[in-house]
Amino acid sequence: MNTQIIAIANQKGGVGKTSCTLNIGAGLALKNKKVLYIDADAQGNLTVGLGIRNTDGENTIFEVLKGECSIKDAIIKTTNNASILPADIALAAADLELANEPGKDFLLHEAINLVEDEYDYILIDCPPSLGILTTNALAAANSVLIPVQCEYFALEGIMQLINTIMLAQRKVNPNLDIEGVLLTMFSN
């Protein structure tokens, strides 16, 4: 299977990353594609958006990244064609707890390798920052989709993100492509 791994990223918050991830995945699942959502944002909104309200005692992406469990032990099936690797607020400590981990930029990539062949699409909802979680998403992805709010200040931050993507291409993933820019929250 040729799995498409797409990171949905923008360092600006409130541009619609989670909504885009949720809706793109839902559309793909309706087309009978097997979808794995990965919630890489400590806000956990993608997790909640898929109906998972309480991850207390459950394995999440954070336990996977710390090596405390396998990704297979943390994935939750949500529908016939979709599953999620959930997140919760504990993920906010990732930058501190994973800073000295060997291969810290490739932890998510290594985890995804274990399940990649089970899905047609893996969609990674990135946090609104350019820290270790976004770096892990860019290292693991085939491409990045950039949601951009249709307003001037949102466009200004795009160059910083493009520079980060180019750095990721040089340092962690030379095969990373830009899937495109998705204009969000348009109002005429």
Side-chain angles (χ1 to χ4, degrees), residues 93-129:
D95 280 338
L96 290 174
E97 287 206 33
L98 301 174
N100 296 319
E101 282 293 314
K104 67 182 177 199
D105 295 332
F106 300 98
L107 299 171
L108 185 58
H109 176 72
E110 291 170 8
I112 288 173
N113 282 342
L114 298 174
V115 297
E116 181 176 351
D117 292 339
E118 298 173 28
Y119 300 96
D120 297 301
Y121 290 88
I122 298 176
L123 305 176
I124 308 169
D125 184 27
C126 295
S129 70

Side-chain angles (χ1 to χ4, degrees), residues 14 24 44 50 54 68 73-74 78 80-82 85 88 92 99 103 144 176:
I24 290 168
L50 288 167
N54 185 359
E68 294 177 1
D73 296 327
T78 58
N80 284 340
N81 292 326
L85 177 57
D88 61 22
V144 58
L176 182 66

Side-chain angles (χ1 to χ4, degrees), residues 4-24:
Q4 291 297 312
I5 305 170
I6 304 169
I8 294 84
N10 190 327
Q11 77 277 10
K12 186 170 183 331
V15 298
K17 291 182 295 294
T18 300
S19 295
C20 290
T21 305
L22 186 63
N23 287 300
I24 290 168

